[in-house]
Amino acid sequence: MTAFRRTDKPAHIDRTKPITFTFDGKTLIGFSGDTLASALLANGKTLLGRSFKYHRPRGVIAAGFEEPNALFTTGVGGRTEPNTIGPTTELVSGITAKSQNAWPSLSFDVMAANQLLSPIFSAGFYYKTFMGPLKKSWMMYEPIIRKAAGLGVAVPDVDTARYEQRHTFCDVLVIGSGPAGLAAAVTAARSGLRVTLTEQDFELGGSLLSSGNEVLEQWRKTQIAELESHREARVLNRTTAQGIYDGNLVVLNCIPQNHPAKMILEQCRAKTIIIATGAIERPLVFENNDRPGVMLASAVRTYLNRYGVAPKKRAVIVTNNDSAYATAFELAEADVAVTVAEHRSTLSGDLLAKAAQLGIAIFPNSGIANVIGEKQISAVRLAGRHAVTIECDVLAMSGGWNPVVHLTSHGGIKPKYDEKIAAFVPGGFAPSHYGAGGVNGTFGVMAAIREGETAARAALETSNFSKKLEAVELPAMREDRAYTIQPQWTVPEGKHAFVDFQNDVTSKDIKQAHQEGYLSVEHLKRYTTLGMGTDQGKTSNINALAMMADLRGLPMSAAGTTTFRPPYAPLTIGAIAGRNVGAHFKPKRLSPLHDWHVAHGATFIEAGLWMRAWYYDWAGHSPETAYIKEMELVRQNVGISDVSSLGKIDVQGPDAAEFLNRIYVNGFAKLPIGRARYGVMLNDDGIVLDDGTTSRISDTQFYMTTTTAQAGEVMSWLEYLLQMHWTDLNVHLTSLTDEWGGMAVSGPNSRRALQLAFPELDVTTETLPYIGVMDFVFEDVSVRILRLSFSGELAYEVHCPANYTTALWEHILKSADSLGIKPYGLEALASLRIEKGHVAGADLDHRNTLDDLGLGKMAGKEKDYIGKALRFREDCQAPERWSLIGIECMEDGKKLRGGAILFAASDEIKGHGRGYITSVTWSTELNKFIALALYNGGLKHEGEDIICAFPLKNENVKARIVSPHFIDKQGERLHA
Amino acid sequence: MRIPCPHCGERDVAEFRYGSDATKQRPQHGTGDLKTWHDYVFVFDNPKGQHIEYWQHVLGCRQWFTLKRNTATNQILPSPLEGEGGALAPDEGAVATELASTNPSSVLRMKDAQSTFSLKGRRGEKKQ
Amino acid sequence: MLKASSALFSAKPFASNLLAIVEAPDFTLTQYAGVEKDLKKALGKLPSRIGIVQDNFMRVGPTQIWSLNEAMDAPNCFVTPLSSSRTRIEISGAPAREVLAKCASIDFHKNEFKPGTFAMTGIHHVPVFIHCVAGEIFHLYVLRTFALSIWDHVSDAALEFK
């Protein structure tokens, strides 16, 4: 029993190019030019899937993106794609399509028993089970329901396909290549301006492809040929305009051919946009209108004329408007016996005459009472006076046409109801947007062509193009006949009259929503799940709105529509991610010493965007122990570490000193040349922003360093102050973070190391005391030595232009080799500073005041600095703030852990505690775990015993609050 | 959204960073009491409609500028603060007054929130 | 003289008949900042706006000029050497504009982005200075620490031309 057959009439398929594909494991053959849906129909496959809730048998309804039912899972493994839309999927060799939501098989589906449960699954089912007395039972039913309801299933495998993105620009973007779009694109292209034409289909032509008219086909070909001849015209088929965003950004997803990417997401910035997206036919709502074989009349016409797929013998057409007669006549001409059930009581003479000529019976005042046949319809029973039963292979329905207004509405313009065509049309157009053809509710071909041309001329005018252009040639045809419709909104009786085919919403559900008070469009949608499927209600929304308006006694214009949001059609997440996956997920930042670290056994760790050397092979292979060896090297001898990631800023200008004096809490105005100073910056709100050392190079030049983490933030903030507020200060800022690389040479032997490396240089304490700065030229390269210490040992930072940092680093290592100098990594660097009690990124949580960090005394009492006023607000002065403490572990063999929650010894271990550990390390000097932490009341509690709780590992470790300065409290080592 | 950088021309919003409300007058450095700074740092209007903001062309020329933007439509208007050749725009308290007076009903004044803000009716509740 | 090292030492070479992506090292980049009068006095005629390259001078801000010429004395100006701060990547070949369009949201159409102009923009969230040297030759000045990452990103964008 097959309901469809191939015709031998001319169509847009190439019968000489067969294409093999599989459906549910069975190998089938279609032709080049087919879609998955047309090929399946041609193979007699009408039962193609099971419905969302009730597992009812479903087949193809439409011939475009609006298709609610003919959805398949295609591909295998990571390339699996659920909910592939059959009518828009170009048939290519090797497609493997599987039906969805059916078990164990499509024709025998166990879950079809859900149909018996339909009273339970009706509107509001989810809400009632979540919220009502049934709430508890949800836990029990949920897994069963999850299995039973749904469509395609996403696979856990990684999608191995490649997705790309690109940015394009044009003067005129034409969306849609039907008669209006083609006319618009050709007109616009004649100007020589940059024109882009997009078409979601693989063939250009839109509704022209379904017409079966030779004159129109010639016209279509002529326009396409002309477009190809215009150098600045770009034609993108297989490209869906998904949304229009602010600033005329149109997001297009393109399926390229012969390209490594499966999909390209294009961000097209168009000066003007012509929306020629056409219209979608509405179904009619009647009992069992979801049975396979019930289709949109226009879809039946498309399958006939474009794909050469016709109903086997008999078709019934049910309509309330004139457009379905084209289908009726062309079916009859293709030897299909046609009967029309016409909702209206009168019909224009030309249609009646033609029907009579073709032997088509028309039943006026007739709708459909019921559809007979479950997996494939066999007959329909008419409603009304002529309650006859008519055998048929296909029931073609037309309830009128909905302009595809989505793109006109993305910017917030609500569509408005047009009584004449009983549909919503654009409520207006944004400046530089124009509409043409079906989207405007203009359904005739000739009128659409004229509108396309007019729209293009208006768009060109907006683009300041004023030369005269030749008019587009019209096809040699008679004028369009008028379109008339009698809206058919009444809510039918019956239990299985489907409004939303994809989400299984019936007319009964809408009645129920009305009875229960879910009246507004947005409530109706959420209560019934109407329009919430992958098709976003393209065929269902307007019928549902109209029914609700009818139940409420409101005119359509007062009912309103739901909000149209991008994307217009389902979009793969991979397309949105583009190439930013895997290694390209985010940019990586590498120190100028990176290659050296790689070559010398470093293990790396991510720190923000930076890849930093964590520890080196020479010290061992475990992050738990290697850093301890590296720490010992620094404490006892000398080590060298990469500090290139520090933010570095060149501050120059006559007012540089005044500027620094304003942004740091401590004074910089009188910093002598050749000296560095540790400084802290606050935000306006009195909270610590960043810290670092800044050195004075000359009267008008300073060298500022910031933390690695805050470098970008600080730079922007300082630029903001200078450019927008302190315009009277003559100061220039330039980031040197990339220009300069840096290394810390630390340990009691660090001076000897530098003396070996730079024998000509005097680095004794007399010339280069603690916080002294020295510039010199070494082998033609500028070098800056800053005597600073992060570790607490005698230490220097050596900075030089990044191109030479590796050479300088190697020079120091080689020169001081006799001392046993070795590199140390980020873990040791951080551990050394914890022992010394220096705060760093981890301890600064953007809630700390100066006093919280024990730095309150640094701030100048007399001078003004940013954040001074709000530093003293009540909250910042509260006695029980979380403030910096040191912690020593009091239990042998136990660890402290970063993030551990702190409790007083007498507290119950519950809740958020009194603070938390911000940094932790093994102390080589104290031979125990130590930590820095923020604790309620801070060092007021020095000496008290606490519990460090780490619930993830079920650990409670005893510890004691101590000063955060664990070593060398007098700073003797620094000043050595 | 496209933003016209006064120095580089129109660019994609992704090249910019938003700074803050540019209708507010920053207290002079070293002046202002706790209350002045509190109001400057924490109390903001949240206007629907025309607004003036600080933006930085952070991936481009790194220049800060003021941008007149409609917060409801993202329509960008020529900034009244732009001087010739895109000169830098200093503080200009007058702008705030001008903005408020052009479209008073669209300005929801959050600083009066406790006394006047309610979900039901906020129209005409602006108080100074 | 110390040996200079490239940020692209470990970069995977990009080979294609249609497109070349190579490092173009060994350039001098200096920033001069100051008031217009002093800048002009020190450097001579200067481009009036951001976006044009004139005698190797590029205006990068209202008060900042970049120069690819040898560093020179500039009285009353503030000079910052920046030769190490950027890595220069050269992209050349017929599809170069197409590749760049996959990387940055700039209109690279030949009538819009002409030889002798530049744009300061972003690639993969990283600031990049793109200079159109000739019809199909572009120089990307990329922050040195991001150079390898941007090299990979741009080479990957060019995959279809390999």
Side-chain angles (χ1 to χ4, degrees), chain A residues 246 269 684 716 719 723, chain B residues 12 26 56 62 64 74 91:
Chain A
D246 294 324
R269 279 122 184 138
D684 278 335
S716 267
E719 286 167 332
Q723 294 173 16
Chain B
D12 194 69
R26 184 181 173 85
Q56 185 187 22
R62 296 200 64 92
W64 285 89
N74 273 341
D91 280 335

Side-chain angles (χ1 to χ4, degrees), chain A residues 212-226:
Chain A
N213 180 308
E214 198 40 48
V215 177
L216 286 177
E217 176 59 11
Q218 268 318 315
W219 185 84
R220 182 185 78 97
K221 283 183 174 157
T222 310
Q223 309 314 311
I224 294 169
E226 176 171 347

Side-chain angles (χ1 to χ4, degrees), chain A residues 70-84:
Chain A
L71 307 181
F72 308 98
T73 297
T74 53
V76 288
R79 299 292 186 108
T80 302
E81 190 139 338
N83 302 332
T84 303

Side-chain angles (χ1 to χ4, degrees), chain A residues 185-496:
Chain A
V186 166
T187 307
R190 285 176 181 175
S191 70
L193 295 186
R194 291 157 75 184
V195 176
T196 300
L197 172 67
T198 71
E199 169 53 54
Q200 64 197 21
D201 205 310
F202 49 92
E203 282 224 50
L204 299 181
S207 62
L208 297 173
L209 296 170
S210 306
S211 73
N213 180 308
E214 198 40 48
V215 177
L216 286 177
E217 176 59 11
Q218 268 318 315
W219 185 84
R220 182 185 78 97
K221 283 183 174 157
T222 310
Q223 309 314 311
I224 294 169
E226 176 171 347
L227 274 179
E228 279 165 5
S229 74
H230 291 294
R231 217 174 30 158
E232 293 296 340
R234 232 173 126 230
V235 177
L236 296 170
N237 53 348
R238 301 181 179 89
T239 296
T240 308
Q242 294 286 18
I244 299 183
Y245 301 81
D246 294 324
N248 274 10
L249 168 66
V250 185
V251 170
L252 307 168
N253 78 290
C254 325
I255 300 171
Q257 302 293 295
N258 305 316
H259 194 281
K262 170 181 166 184
M263 203 175 274
I264 300 175
L265 200 75
E266 176 168 323
Q267 296 187 40
C268 178
R269 279 122 184 138
K271 288 208 184 95
T272 59
I273 302 170
I274 296 173
I275 301 166
T277 45
I280 287 175
E281 198 170 20
R282 274 197 302 261
L284 288 164
V285 183
F286 47 84
E287 186 70 359
N288 288 318
N289 62 342
D290 64 326
R291 293 304 194 198
V294 182
M295 296 168 73
L296 292 171
S298 61
V300 174
R301 188 176 180 217
T302 299
Y303 288 110
L304 174 71
N305 291 325
R306 180 170 173 185
Y307 304 109
V309 178
K312 184 99 185 270
K313 280 185 192 151
R314 284 177 293 258
V316 172
I317 287 171
V318 55
T319 184
N320 63 350
N321 69 84
D322 292 353
S323 73
Y325 286 88
T327 309
F329 299 156
E330 286 159 20
L331 283 175
E333 278 158 357
D335 299 325
V336 178
V338 178
T339 309
V340 178
E342 170 62 75
H343 274 282
R344 296 172 292 181
S345 49
T346 57
L347 202 58
S348 68
D350 62 326
L351 295 181
L352 284 171
K354 180 103 191 247
Q357 182 199 332
L358 289 166
I360 296 171
I362 299 176
F363 291 87
N365 293 317
S366 293
I368 303 295
N370 205 348
V371 175
I372 294 141
E374 197 183 322
K375 290 172 195 163
Q376 161 61 40
I377 67 167
S378 55
V380 296
R381 191 155 51 77
L382 301 198
R385 228 154 21 98
H386 315 281
V388 292
T389 299
I390 306 167
E391 283 187 12
C392 62
D393 304 307
V394 165
L395 170 58
M397 57 185 166
S398 178
W401 289 82
N402 292 329
V404 180
V405 298
H406 303 60
L407 294 175
T408 71
S409 191
H410 285 171
I413 299 173
K414 289 264 179 201
K416 62 170 195 270
Y417 188 70
D418 181 345
E419 293 282 352
K420 232 177 103 213
I421 59 164
F424 284 90
V425 294
F429 288 92
S432 75
H433 293 189
Y434 307 88
V439 70
N440 283 344
T442 303
F443 298 139
V445 173
M446 302 294 265
I449 292 171
R450 288 194 186 99
E451 276 187 17
E453 184 178 332
T454 308
R457 287 179 188 277
L460 291 173
E461 206 170 299
T462 306
S463 304
N464 292 324
F465 180 87
S466 51
K467 285 186 215 128
K468 236 180 138 226
L469 286 178
E470 215 184 306
V472 170
E473 196 191 336
L474 286 165
M477 283 179 40
R478 62 183 169 84
E479 283 302 315
D480 307 318
R481 61 183 309 282
Y483 168 83
T484 59
I485 179 170
Q486 172 190 300
Q488 188 57 39
W489 303 137
T490 43
V491 190
E493 293 304 318
K495 290 178 181 166
H496 308 107

Side-chain angles (χ1 to χ4, degrees), chain C residues 3 6 16 23 25 48 55 60 67 72 74 77 92 96 99 106 134 141 148-149:
Chain C
K3 192 176 150 273
S6 159
S16 148
E23 180 176 7
S48 59
D55 304 328
V60 295
S67 164
M72 53 176 106
C77 299
S92 58
V99 171
I106 295 283
Y141 292 84
L148 186 63
S149 198

